[in-house]
Amino acid sequence: LCHWKPSGPLDPEEIDEINAWRDRLYRLGLIGAYENGIGYGNLSIRKGQSDAFIITGSGTGRLRSLDETHYTCVTSVDFEANSLTCRGPVRASSESLTHAAVYVSHRAAGGVIHIHHMGLWKNLMDCVPTTSPKAEYGTPEMAFEVMRLLRESNLRGKNVLVMGGHEEGLIAFGKGISEAGGLLLNLYGDLGVRG
């Protein structure tokens, strides 16, 4: 459940870095839309030292480029109730709970990226921390799985996970969006070299 408080666009300077990474990942097809029009992939950055974060808006995966009207700020999350509150010109991405799980559980995380790539998904499955196949995307179960992996696995060292119940889905995080993006580009490049 998304409690959306419509407001004006975010400050363009706030989204410069995240938007540059979004453009790059879109060009690689790691963010985009399927033939049926359903978009995939999203990015977020922590707002200061709080648990609030700026994230791409719902349904923006299909758009070639974004601006400050396509981002929103998630200000609070209730995992148990499967709800969040966001303020901005658009509703928050359906994957916001999963991003929130990283920020709440890992204070050093400042940027989170969710991409889709079948090759990476298959190659990394169970080689890096992997969520239960029973946890579906955008659900509290997925968020709780991410929290569990941050507690019980070496996820803090790897900073990348496979979404076992979300075909093609991977999540990377880092101190900032550039660290998360760089990690994904390295993995993507390695996969290309392996064929």
Side-chain angles (χ1 to χ4, degrees):
L1 182 62
C2 177
H3 302 286
W4 176 37
K5 298 177 178 176
S7 72
L10 275 61
D11 180 343
E13 287 184 11
E14 271 190 306
I15 62 140
D16 275 350
E17 188 180 18
I18 188 174
N19 207 37
W21 273 101
R22 196 271 179 189
D23 287 347
R24 200 167 178 183
L25 297 171
Y26 181 90
R27 285 193 301 271
L28 292 172
L30 300 173
I31 290 173
Y34 295 109
E35 287 181 8
N36 61 9
I38 294 176
Y40 59 85
N42 38 65
L43 301 86
S44 69
I45 50 172
R46 189 189 292 270
K47 203 159 166 52
Q49 298 300 308
S50 71
D51 287 336
F53 56 95
I54 293 168
I55 191 166
T56 46
S58 179
T60 57
R62 61 186 165 71
L63 302 175
R64 183 175 300 278
S65 61
L66 305 185
D67 61 29
E68 61 273 15
T69 64
H70 298 112
Y71 290 83
T72 195
C73 183
V74 174
T75 54
S76 67
V77 174
D78 184 335
F79 297 105
E80 297 287 346
N82 191 18
S83 74
L84 62 85
T85 301
C86 68
R87 180 184 301 279
V90 289
R91 289 179 181 273
S93 161
S94 59
E95 203 59 68
S96 293
L97 281 183
T98 307
H99 288 247
V102 175
Y103 293 124
V104 167
S105 303
H106 190 31
R107 297 303 311 167
V112 178
I113 301 176
H114 168 218
I115 61 155
H116 280 208
H117 190 278
M118 186 60 85
L120 284 172
W121 189 75
K122 286 181 175 177
N123 275 280
L124 295 175
M125 178 83 68
D126 297 320
C127 294
V128 299
T130 301
T131 62
S132 164
K134 293 178 182 166
E136 296 180 14
Y137 78 96
T139 63
E141 289 74 28
M142 180 63 79
F144 290 133
E145 270 293 283
V146 170
M147 290 180 194
R148 180 185 68 77
L149 290 175
L150 279 163
R151 274 193 323 268
E152 300 174 6
S153 74
N154 64 346
L155 179 54
R156 285 174 196 259
K158 296 275 190 187
N159 285 20
V160 64
L161 67 89
V162 169
M163 303 169 91
H166 183 32
E167 192 171 81
E168 298 188 2
L170 295 100
I171 288 180
F173 56 88
K175 292 187 184 98
I177 200 75
S178 292
E179 189 173 291
L183 175 58
L184 287 171
L185 289 185
N186 286 341
L187 290 168
Y188 182 76
D190 289 348
L191 182 70
V193 168
R194 289 197 304 266

